Amino acid sequence: MHPFQYLAPTSVAEAVDALARYGDRARALAGGTDILVQTRTGRFDLDAVVDVKRVPELTALTLGEDGLSIGAAVPCYRVYEDAEVAGLYPGLIDAASLIGGIQIQSRASLGGNLCNASPSADGICPLIVHYGQAHSAGPDGRRSTPVEEFCVAPGRTILEPGEFLVSIELPRPPAGFGGAYQRFIPRNEMDIAVVGVGSSLTLNAAGDRVESARVALAAVGPTPILAHAAGDSLVGKTPGIDAFREAGELAADAARPISDMRGDVNFRKELVRVLTRRTLTTALERAQS
Amino acid sequence: MTIIEQPKEYKVIGTRPIRHDGLDKVIGKAQYGADLKLPGMIWGALTRSPYAHARIKRIDTSKAEQAPGVMAVITGADMPVAEAIEIETGEEVTNLAHASDKLMARDKVVYKGHPVAAVAAADQNAAIEAARLIEVEYEVLQPVLTVDEAMASGAPLVHEDYAGKDLGEETRNTNVADHFRHETGDTAAGFAQAAVVVEREFELTMVHQGYIEPHNATALWKSDGKIEIWTSTQGAFGVRSSVAPILRVPETDIRVTPLEIGGGFGGKIPIYLEPVCAVLSKKAGRPVKVVMDRKSVFEATGPTPGGRIRVKMGANDKGDITAAEVDLYYEAGAYPGSPVGAGAMCALACYRVANARVDGYDILVNKPKTAAYRAPGATQAAYAVESVVDEICQALGMDPLDFRLHNATREGDRRADGPVYPRIGNLEQLQALKDSEHYRTPLEREGADGRLRGRGVANGFWFNGGMQSCVTINVNSDGEVGLVEGSVDIGGTRASIAMQAAEVLGLRAEEVHPVVVDTDSVGYTDMTGGSRTTNATGYAAYLAAQNVIAGMKERAAILWESNADDVEFEDGVFSSKHDSELKVTFKELAAKLTETGGPLAASGSIRQRGSGGGFGSHLVDVEIDPETGKVDVIRYTAAQDVGKAIHPSYVEGQIQGGATQGIGWALNEEYFWSDQGVMENSTFLDYRMPTALDLPMIDAIIVEVPNPTHPFGVRGVGETPIVAPVGAVANAIHDAVGVRLTQAPMKPQRVLAAIKEKNGNGA
Ligand SMILES: Cc1cc2nc3c(=O)[nH]c(=O)nc-3n(C[C@H](O)[C@H](O)[C@H](O)COP(=O)(O)OP(=O)(O)OC[C@H]3O[C@@H](n4cnc5c(N)ncnc54)[C@H](O)[C@@H]3O)c2cc1C
């Protein structure tokens, strides 16, 4: 590790300037729980680190009529400690409260989780099943991208040099909505997902039909995967174990896992089946309560 | 706590005072190697091989030498050539030429992470950056990665020039460094008498001790030719006796100061950095410090071997074991010396087996050289043997603890490798587990959400060493004492040693002030390891304290103008045998040292025998998610004969710690290798040791069958509790889901695959 600049801009424009000046030799710093570790182990060779926490928009957490806006540097604990947010976005809370431990959650942001673009990230699938949009700013101005299109490869996102994530917006869930996230880890904490599955569904007014559903998968492909067929298969169906099992099969078909030290292809596909069924079951319970 | 025999009333022994080193450690003030700062100190960093097996064609250090802040660069060519002789270093025998080659490669690298060069520079980052600039040209060779590969005919040789031994005969062109056999009785005849014979093969992978503190060393090669070393080690004298011949300097010219140690478990008996720091220091003329990172700790220190184990055991319908055969194939790593020798002695140590054969193979592979890890070699063997015993119990329909009690070794029995047991507590500790509330409470077989439960037991043995220790006690004028020792404090040994002195001196534990010193400041003391320290260094402290009392009696005699033989000492008071008026307390007398002849210091030294052995049996309940294969340990009880628990909390801590490491080994810990011999999971993220949430409270049942060779009956504690857990967990998994896992770790993927295969839907 060699010496690098530490910059702490206080506005979006300044942050864009700072990042643009160093191009791919600069990275944004939110909670630092990924970037500090990665820089020390030589994954990045940086000339500048741009701390985005002094930009007010990045630490704002606002719940309005339309939905929730999470500043890209808001630490996880602020998300799950907000009772109203927790009630509306249960899938997100599952993830925010299991990333690392309390110390990590006091620093780590969902924005950092998304920009780190790890295939096994716990925060991204819940954002997808809550229909999240990523708002970014760069030298060419601002743009908005569905979260499921944000990651393009392990560690890589759509962000261009000089561009950074400002906030993530989640629409206000309709009545009859439920979401859940679960991951499989060999231990009970401080671990990385062998497989993660986020699911959500919205029931009709009578509560006996699924109107829309999403299933998103972590750690079974180069990026988090929105398993369209799995979610779509539920639409119009009576929610329950049979429909969830079928969705699990379709999710397993959508999974493109590799065999590595954390699990082989068969094991991961099987976990996708099991976790899809389990998260949909929890999402249903939440939709009904 | 179950006390089997309690011969004496003690004042200090058996109590739970706060440890002397506790506050500093809790508030972060204890001095570890990484904290050390010396005037003029610079930093070193190592360049390590990216290949597990390669010939070094050329090393170019010129770029590194010109890098900013660099003050010295060395390669294997700068290291003195050590003689190929063997020395005893605690739990291992070390061949100096191998030890030297392991520190810094010369012609060939034989494991990934093998050092090839080192740099010293003004600060740590400069050193790391410069180490990256060393250019090495390699001719990459086919690595030998498993015991099967290593033994295959035509296998590449880890070392072309090493000789092996096969049943005592020298062999050449082989990766089998040693093959030996222990045999007693006639196994064929024994199996012929058996009603049940079970034969199984087991496979394990390398695991690491996982101590939190990475290895570190600081060395200063002074202008007068003397060398000072500060390091994290289990034994400063062992460091001195290894470094001296490797650097070819006399032992007396080296002074080793042991700093606080953040865990060792056997892995900090060998040396890795000290000679490299010293040679860098000689070149740079400054103290040089190196601290390893976690990756280097995993890749290039001394884990415990994986390998293959075959066990065949027979029993008659009365439940007597009639014969057993065990074949142990252990990975030595890149240099000879796996703990297979100890594994072979421990394999059948819990059982009376009249007809037994144990074969051990020490096999070279292109992996880090294995080192001691808590009961080295015993856990692997026990996993295999205890699994087979479990199957025999099921075949005979016998309770697993009844079977173990029925066949348990006891005083006068001969172990398969020869020695006859003195008084041991195998029966007593098994009985204590059988009587435990846990064992008497039937297991509820079903958990929440379809999870399935099972219960397993296993027994374990470790020798518990004695070896050499020396202690000096200085009497202070306020009546308290300083206790000078050479035993690095692991797990509360300052307290357990000070308490033994306090018991003799009639002082409180807090009135004895223990200090761990360098190799010039106390007599020779072997490493903290082998479960020997509370036994042997405690014995030395006992002797030193006796000598203090003898000296104090002489002082009282001077005061009373009588004879030391006329003075008695009891409960902290010296009194005259003849004149009941004449009494003086230890404290009062200490204040009179000046007038009675000057300072009083006394030493005790001992070459202590082993303790006869420590036995410990473990009982575990697991709960398994049959859809994911995840195993949770939900209840755990361990019973162990410890001889005498000097400080019961630290004894419980050792039993809990051993069980915890064993549970990690059973469930998730493993070196995950690429097909080129690169460890892919060299981080604590992917090397999965259990966290607090992965463990229930581990109940420790302390059984005390005093060791007759120790004044307080101490037997040693630390290693035995890691022996049983892997087998116990395997047996519990079998009980829960009906599959016998013969491969460790029993990670979720394996458990799930086994369940699916049993159910006939293997995916
Ligand atoms: C002990 C430990 C446990 C962990 N456990 C988990 C876990 O259980 N699950 C999990 O998913 N992760 C885990 N992580 C990883 C990490 O904590 C999360 O990914 C976290 O959400 C990252 O957020 P951060 O704010 O710390 O990001 P940072 O480290 O600050 O940044 C992460 C990456 O995103 C980039 N970045 C940050 N903000 C922006 C921005 N606004 N615009 C553009 N790029 C940006 C950075 O340059 C960097 O590349 C763990 C990490 C540790 C150290």
Side-chain angles (χ1 to χ4, degrees):
Chain A
M1 194 163 66
H2 65 90
F4 53 78
Q5 291 290 317
Y6 169 82
L7 305 168
T10 54
S11 71
V12 169
E14 273 176 48
V16 170
D17 272 359
L19 286 164
R21 201 170 338 136
Y22 290 92
D24 62 3
R25 307 214 24 105
R27 287 198 76 90
L29 170 98
T33 60
D34 275 317
I35 195 174
L36 291 183
V37 181
Q38 292 164 354
T39 306
R40 281 185 57 167
T41 55
R43 171 138 151 216
F44 301 123
D45 189 19
L46 299 177
D47 292 335
V49 160
V50 180
D51 186 344
V52 293
K53 288 191 293 295
R54 300 214 188 137
V55 180
E57 264 185 82
L58 273 91
T59 55
L61 181 72
T62 43
L63 183 62
E65 281 302 297
D66 296 341
L68 175 68
S69 172
I70 308 169
V74 170
C76 288
Y77 85 92
R78 281 184 54 204
V79 179
Y80 64 70
E81 282 191 355
D82 185 314
E84 213 181 334
V85 171
L88 283 169
Y89 301 94
L92 195 60
I93 300 311
D94 288 343
S97 51
L98 69 67
I99 291 176
I102 284 175
Q103 287 162 313
I104 294 293
Q105 289 153 17
S106 311
R107 301 289 296 181
S109 63
L110 289 163
N113 197 261
L114 177 57
C115 294
N116 188 57
S118 163
S120 60
D122 289 311
I124 305 179
C125 290
L127 292 172
I128 295 174
V129 303
H130 278 285
Y131 301 84
Q133 289 279 331
H135 297 303
S136 52
D140 299 336
R142 298 209 179 207
R143 61 172 164 154
S144 171
T145 314
V147 170
E148 58 273 22
E149 290 166 18
F150 192 81
C151 301
V152 295
R156 286 192 31 225
T157 67
I158 55 136
L159 294 176
E160 300 285 344
E163 190 181 14
F164 74 111
L165 182 71
V166 175
S167 64
I168 306 160
E169 202 171 312
L170 309 181
R172 200 176 182 93
F177 177 91
Y181 176 77
Q182 281 184 29
R183 66 175 179 184
F184 178 80
I185 54 173
R187 291 182 294 192
N188 290 318
E189 62 169 336
M190 284 296 165
D191 216 329
I192 183 163
V194 179
V195 167
V197 177
S199 295
S200 70
L201 45 73
T202 307
L203 301 178
N204 63 359
D208 57 3
R209 284 273 174 280
V210 177
E211 287 194 330
S212 60
R214 273 191 162 190
V215 175
L217 316 175
V220 288
T223 64
I225 295 172
L226 173 55
H228 292 280
D232 293 347
S233 75
L234 293 164
V235 175
K237 293 231 175 80
T238 306
I241 192 72
D242 293 336
F244 296 165
R245 250 184 230 290
E246 193 192 324
E249 285 303 327
L250 292 167
D253 289 345
R256 295 279 173 272
I258 53 167
S259 289
D260 69 5
M261 59 191 168
R262 296 174 192 147
D264 66 19
V265 168
N266 282 334
F267 183 52
R268 284 189 151 124
K269 288 213 171 212
E270 181 62 17
L271 289 173
V272 169
R273 290 186 193 97
V274 172
L275 293 185
T276 301
R277 206 184 68 228
R278 290 182 181 176
T279 49
L280 282 167
T281 305
T282 305
L284 175 63
E285 282 162 19
R286 288 172 175 171
Q288 287 167 336
S289 68
Chain B
M1 176 167 135
T2 310
I3 308 278
I4 299 296
E5 289 173 34
Q6 177 62 284
K8 280 196 202 109
E9 280 287 315
Y10 294 121
K11 289 210 166 60
V12 180
I13 286 169
T15 64
R16 303 174 186 241
I18 289 174
R19 59 199 285 171
H20 304 78
D21 50 318
L23 183 66
D24 272 357
K25 283 182 176 163
V26 169
I27 66 175
K29 295 291 180 201
Q31 285 284 312
Y32 292 85
D35 301 318
L36 185 76
K37 287 196 184 77
L38 296 172
M41 186 184 85
I42 59 173
W43 284 79
L46 277 65
T47 307
R48 295 176 181 275
S49 165
Y51 305 109
H53 195 192
R55 222 173 287 287
I56 300 172
K57 309 276 283 186
R58 189 181 60 88
I59 304 184
D60 183 350
T61 58
S62 53
K63 284 193 187 137
E65 272 161 41
Q66 272 132 46
V70 170
M71 299 188 208
V73 179
I74 62 166
T75 66
D78 297 288
M79 299 292 291
V81 178
E83 275 183 275
I85 51 166
E86 293 189 340
I87 59 164
E88 288 266 355
T89 45
E91 288 196 306
E92 315 179 309
V93 172
T94 301
N95 176 308
L96 293 167
H98 300 172
S100 169
D101 197 57
K102 178 181 79 179
L103 301 175
M104 187 66 73
R106 289 193 169 82
D107 314 321
K108 210 174 136 172
V109 292
V110 286
Y111 60 98
K112 160 80 165 76
H114 199 162
V116 291
V119 174
D123 63 58
Q124 192 175 20
N125 278 328
I128 291 170
E129 291 292 322
R132 290 206 180 108
L133 299 176
I134 306 256
E135 287 170 9
V136 187
E137 193 186 316
Y138 294 99
E139 176 196 337
V140 181
L141 304 170
Q142 176 68 35
V144 181
L145 297 177
T146 65
V147 293
D148 295 343
E149 272 175 49
M151 289 189 298
S153 69
L157 295 175
V158 176
H159 295 282
E160 290 83 358
D161 54 340
Y162 283 16
K165 259 190 300 180
D166 186 44
L167 301 175
E169 303 284 319
E170 187 174 298
T171 51
R172 287 276 160 190
N173 297 320
T174 175
N175 289 314
V176 181
D178 191 17
H179 166 214
F180 60 86
R181 175 172 298 160
H182 302 300
E183 217 169 2
T184 181
D186 176 348
T187 54
F191 286 122
Q193 295 157 25
V196 188
V197 175
V198 174
E199 186 172 1
R200 289 268 186 193
E201 205 168 281
F202 299 82
E203 208 183 305
L204 296 103
T205 175
M206 213 168 238
V207 302
H208 198 271
Q209 298 85 350
Y211 31 79
I212 297 302
E213 181 207 25
H215 294 256
N216 57 77
T218 307
L220 173 61
W221 199 317
K222 300 196 296 182
S223 329
D224 61 4
K226 294 194 174 173
I227 300 174
E228 301 235 26
I229 292 170
W230 298 261
T231 185
S232 172
T233 178
Q234 290 177 237
F237 288 89
V239 172
R240 189 179 71 173
S241 35
S242 306
V243 172
I246 285 177
L247 293 179
R248 309 206 80 141
V249 295
E251 272 198 29
T252 18
D253 284 353
I254 300 177
R255 184 159 75 112
V256 180
T257 304
L259 296 159
E260 290 299 341
I261 179 169
F265 309 106
K268 286 182 185 156
I269 299 172
I271 57 166
Y272 297 96
L273 299 170
E274 292 80 353
V276 177
C277 292
V279 173
L280 283 170
S281 170
K282 190 177 192 183
K283 258 196 157 171
R286 306 246 211 152
V288 176
K289 169 169 167 176
V290 176
V291 178
M292 281 195 201
D293 59 13
R294 182 61 55 189
K295 189 177 162 74
S296 304
V297 172
F298 275 123
E299 291 184 342
T301 66
T304 199
R308 185 177 288 290
I309 301 174
R310 200 178 308 116
V311 176
K312 182 177 176 188
M313 191 180 263
N316 64 22
D317 50 18
K318 294 202 299 275
D320 310 319
I321 297 175
T322 58
E325 290 178 349
V326 182
D327 295 286
L328 305 166
Y329 302 88
Y330 280 20
E331 296 169 334
Y335 300 92
S338 77
V340 69
M345 292 187 260
C346 293
L348 298 170
C350 296
Y351 302 102
R352 301 173 128 173
V353 190
N355 305 300
R357 174 187 67 73
V358 183
D359 277 40
Y361 299 81
D362 185 39
I363 300 168
L364 295 167
V365 289
N366 289 113
K367 293 180 178 174
K369 158 75 174 76
T370 55
Y373 176 19
R374 210 170 192 158
T379 300
Q380 292 94 327
Y383 164 43
V385 169
E386 292 298 306
S387 295
V388 166
V389 165
D390 198 55
E391 271 192 78
I392 289 179
C393 294
Q394 276 148 21
L396 293 173
M398 263 182 96
D399 173 277
L401 281 177
D402 284 343
F403 180 87
R404 286 171 171 84
L405 275 162
H406 180 71
N407 289 287
T409 40
R410 57 209 79 177
E411 188 172 355
D413 285 345
R414 181 179 288 281
R415 217 167 59 207
D417 56 301
V420 175
Y421 285 114
R423 180 76 173 96
I424 50 173
N426 193 12
L427 285 169
E428 288 82 353
Q429 61 84 18
L430 281 165
Q431 190 61 46
L433 192 69
K434 197 180 170 202
D435 295 340
S436 68
E437 206 256 327
H438 184 176
Y439 200 67
R440 286 186 283 109
T441 309
L443 179 68
E444 281 185 35
R445 314 260 349 157
E446 275 171 31
D449 301 323
R451 288 195 286 269
L452 303 170
R453 291 183 179 167
R455 175 171 286 182
V457 299
N459 200 7
F461 163 84
W462 183 251
F463 312 91
N464 296 351
M467 308 177 72
Q468 303 176 72
S469 290
C470 186
V471 162
T472 299
I473 293 175
N474 299 312
V475 182
N476 299 334
S477 60
D478 61 6
E480 303 199 356
V481 303
L483 185 155
V484 183
E485 58 175 311
S487 286
V488 171
D489 191 340
I490 300 187
T493 50
R494 278 188 184 90
S496 70
I497 291 158
M499 287 169 73
Q500 295 179 58
E503 187 71 48
V504 176
L505 298 171
L507 298 175
R508 289 182 300 118
E510 296 79 2
E511 293 169 326
V512 177
H513 303 274
V515 50
V516 180
V517 296
D518 65 73
T519 49
D520 280 348
S521 305
V522 67
Y524 180 89
T525 298
D526 276 304
M527 86 290 164
T528 300
S531 302
R532 64 164 222 97
T533 309
T534 299
N535 175 354
T537 310
Y539 202 154
Y542 167 89
L543 294 173
Q546 297 281 8
N547 290 337
V548 165
I549 295 300
M552 294 287 269
K553 282 181 177 169
E554 282 172 15
R555 303 308 176 88
I558 290 171
L559 279 184
W560 299 332
E561 292 174 355
S562 72
N563 198 309
D565 292 343
D566 294 335
V567 182
E568 287 183 316
F569 178 67
E570 220 188 311
D571 289 342
V573 180
F574 295 89
S575 51
S576 164
K577 288 181 190 166
H578 302 302
D579 183 345
S580 59
E581 295 289 291
L582 292 178
K583 284 189 192 313
V584 61
T585 67
F586 188 94
K587 285 204 155 67
E588 289 162 354
L589 189 54
K592 296 193 163 82
L593 287 180
T594 307
E595 58 194 90
T596 56
L600 179 59
S603 294
S605 79
I606 178 108
R607 201 177 119 205
Q608 168 69 328
R609 282 171 284 169
S611 77
F615 292 82
S617 55
H618 292 206
L619 167 61
V620 56
D621 294 346
V622 299
E623 185 173 278
I624 302 178
D625 180 342
E627 292 187 326
T628 65
K630 182 160 182 278
V631 177
D632 272 304
V633 175
I634 57 170
R635 190 168 181 189
Y636 203 104
T637 303
Q640 185 174 327
D641 167 31
V642 305
K644 177 71 204 164
I646 299 293
H647 192 303
S649 301
Y650 301 158
V651 169
E652 286 156 5
Q654 288 295 318
I655 293 174
Q656 291 163 338
T660 298
Q661 287 187 309
I663 289 168
W665 194 342
L667 292 180
N668 285 304
E669 289 183 39
E670 63 177 327
Y671 272 58
F672 195 95
W673 299 101
S674 80
D675 59 5
Q676 292 305 307
V678 175
M679 183 195 188
E680 296 191 331
N681 58 334
S682 56
T683 66
F684 274 150
L685 175 58
D686 280 304
Y687 184 87
R688 296 192 161 71
M689 303 202 298
T691 72
L693 289 190
D694 300 311
L695 298 163
M697 179 64 193
I698 292 164
D699 288 318
I701 301 176
I702 295 175
V703 177
E704 299 186 316
V705 177
N707 167 17
T709 69
H710 185 277
F712 301 119
V714 168
R715 213 178 260 285
V717 180
E719 292 170 288
T720 298
I722 201 175
V723 181
V726 183
V729 168
N731 295 340
I733 291 173
H734 180 268
D735 188 46
V737 289
V739 296
R740 175 125 340 251
L741 288 166
T742 55
Q743 239 183 321
M746 295 165 262
K747 54 185 178 179
Q749 178 174 310
R750 278 198 183 125
V751 175
L752 185 63
I755 293 173
K756 284 187 168 282
E757 195 185 308
K758 172 174 164 262
N759 296 340
N761 57 353

